[in-house]
Amino acid sequence: MDLALTLTVFTTLFVLELPDKTFIATLVMSTKYRPLLVWIGVVAAFLVQTVVAVAFGGLLGRLPEDPVHAVVMVLFLVAGILLIRSASHAKEEEKEAEEEFGEKATREAKGWHVITTSFLILFLAEWGDLSQLATAGFVARGGNPFAVGIGAFAALALVSGLAALLGRTLQGRLPLALIRRIAGVICLFFAVTMALQLAGVEMPGWLPV
């Protein structure tokens, strides 16, 4: 397994997910239900989504290399711009997300009902988000699917675990706008790197992208 790629994917998705509504959704549900059961349901949803993203990336990787790399480059470029532009509205969007997921988790639930409720809320809410697209992009560029999948799932599981256990504490201390800007810069870095590779510039060997 490519450990450098796994760490790159893990770091990228961890930073992408911290300011995402996934964190807010898990936090809100953990205030209404048992945090451990919420986390189990959320992680199960992430596992399915990661498998689908890796499989989709593998299919894209079968297409001609340069067009695929160009599409992935544009994906990271757009993601970076959107993250940086949305940083100034982070608090407002955070409040809206809390209200949205608070309404979805109003029913009383226990045991397996908490797990299934958490699974369905995250499963339906997160299709096509940045983390899933980034996972597919890493695989499409020729990344080892197993290495990418492990890195992506570990990052998502950790972010949701932090949200379930320390959500309010972290929410009060983490500057959400700054995290979005950092995530945006990371995406732009990958976009520039891919653009240089498409232009024929040889990248340093330590770059796992």
Side-chain angles (χ1 to χ4, degrees), residues 52-200:
V52 172
V54 169
F56 181 64
L59 291 175
L60 288 178
R62 295 176 181 272
L63 299 175
E65 184 174 312
D66 284 350
V68 169
H69 286 195
V71 169
V72 175
M73 178 199 69
V74 172
L75 166 66
F76 276 107
L77 177 63
V78 172
I81 293 172
L82 290 177
L83 282 166
I84 292 172
R85 288 186 62 183
S86 68
S88 58
H89 307 292
K91 282 297 181 182
E92 293 87 342
E93 292 179 9
E94 183 180 38
K95 184 177 179 180
E96 291 175 2
E98 282 201 40
E99 293 175 353
E100 174 190 349
F101 290 109
E103 292 174 359
K104 292 180 179 179
T106 52
R107 289 174 49 191
E108 289 291 330
K110 294 181 180 180
W112 281 104
H113 291 295
V114 174
I115 295 175
T116 55
T117 298
S118 302
F119 176 90
L120 289 173
I121 288 177
L122 266 294
F123 186 79
L124 296 175
E126 290 300 298
W127 284 106
D129 79 332
L130 289 179
S131 61
Q132 200 172 30
L133 294 174
T135 300
F138 277 116
V139 176
R141 294 194 67 254
N144 181 292
F146 185 71
V148 173
I150 291 295
F153 178 69
L156 296 172
L158 179 58
V159 169
S160 58
L162 290 173
L165 294 176
L166 303 171
R168 289 298 179 192
T169 301
L170 292 175
Q171 192 180 32
R173 295 182 179 180
L174 289 175
L176 193 59
L178 176 60
I179 295 173
R180 284 196 178 184
R181 291 189 179 99
I182 292 173
V185 169
I186 291 175
C187 288
L188 292 179
F189 170 77
F190 285 133
V192 170
T193 301
M194 294 173 196
L196 291 174
Q197 288 177 323
L198 285 171

Side-chain angles (χ1 to χ4, degrees), residues 18-35:
L18 271 180
D20 191 71
K21 61 182 179 180
T22 298
F23 186 92
I24 304 300
T26 307
L27 184 158
V28 170
M29 289 188 290
S30 294
T31 63
K32 297 177 179 293
Y33 311 130
R34 284 185 60 188

Side-chain angles (χ1 to χ4, degrees), residues 34-50:
R34 284 185 60 188
L36 177 59
L37 298 180
V38 170
W39 183 75
I40 292 173
V42 169
V43 165
F46 279 143
L47 178 60
V48 175
Q49 290 183 340
T50 300

